[in-house]
Amino acid sequence: MDLSLLWVLLSLVTVAWGQYGDYGYPYQQYHDYGDDGWVNLNRQGFSYQCPHGQVVVAVRSIFSKKEGSDRQWNYACMPTPQSLGEPTECWWEEINRAGMEWYQTCSNNGLVAGFQSRYFESVLDREWQFYCCRYSKRCPYSCWLTTDYPGHYGEEMDMVSYNYDYYMRGATTTFSAVERDRQWKFIMCRMTDYDCEFANV
């Protein structure tokens, strides 16, 4: 299928989902991240946080072998539904070291609301941290992993969550010592509509 046709169809689906505001779910289409909106230059660190009350719903990245086998990154955020309430606390998670595979979810039942990264020339890779926010005492359930992003090392990465009731809680990554690149699988979960007593699910 032609990629431009796919984007048109996905945009229409997003607009249709945006009409569910009558059901207490006031999602609007996320802010478009254009080609010139990268949050970093190659080999440069960055810190990105969604506005208060929003979570990450899209991740875009391009790879450059000649620029230190590094990637430029961009993110899009979307407000959480009124039923989830306001974030009660936000924090930076522990650092995931460069050159290693890792798996991490936001502690304390948090949702991903930002990323922070620093590039290391010695390993041609980045360390990563999630910025997480907790919403009252809501708990995750029905979690699943996305497919690999990108599909192959060195390719452009474009992950958009069109599941309006699933939220990013973390990721697992694999690192290729040959390609000096990562593949990501994002951990997506639903959140309860009620408070629960579990501190970390």
Side-chain angles (χ1 to χ4, degrees), residues 45-189:
F46 68 88
S47 181
Y48 177 87
Q49 292 179 29
C50 293
H52 181 76
Q54 297 189 22
V55 292
V56 174
V57 295
V59 180
R60 186 171 188 215
S61 178
I62 55 172
F63 182 78
S64 175
K65 189 83 166 173
K66 68 178 183 175
E67 290 292 336
S69 294
D70 194 21
R71 288 182 169 271
Q72 287 181 280
W73 295 89
N74 203 347
Y75 303 94
C77 303
M78 188 177 284
T80 55
Q82 292 174 345
S83 61
L84 208 54
E86 290 289 314
T88 51
E89 62 178 313
C90 296
W91 64 92
W92 286 103
E93 281 291 344
E94 293 183 13
I95 294 173
N96 294 289
R97 300 291 175 202
M100 301 174 66
E101 296 183 0
W102 49 266
Y103 175 100
Q104 185 179 53
T105 57
C106 287
S107 60
N108 209 15
N109 298 327
L111 303 176
V112 176
F115 290 84
Q116 186 165 271
S117 181
R118 194 168 66 153
Y119 179 78
F120 288 87
E121 193 81 41
S122 58
V123 287
L124 300 178
D125 191 29
R126 292 179 165 272
E127 68 179 17
W128 289 91
Q129 279 182 287
F130 292 127
Y131 182 68
C132 301
C133 291
R134 180 181 184 196
Y135 286 78
S136 190
K137 293 183 178 180
R138 303 300 167 85
C139 290
Y141 69 101
S142 295
C143 299
W144 56 279
L145 286 173
T146 65
T147 58
D148 283 322
Y149 287 97
H152 301 282
Y153 294 112
E155 291 182 347
E156 184 172 328
M157 173 177 167
D158 209 350
M159 191 289 291
V160 180
S161 173
Y162 285 103
N163 293 325
Y164 69 89
D165 55 350
Y166 278 87
Y167 306 94
M168 186 185 298
R169 289 220 50 242
T172 180
T173 71
T174 56
F175 178 69
S176 169
V178 175
E179 300 295 331
R180 311 313 291 183
D181 193 18
R182 286 188 178 276
Q183 284 183 304
W184 296 67
K185 288 183 179 179
F186 296 96
I187 302 161
M188 310 298 290
C189 298

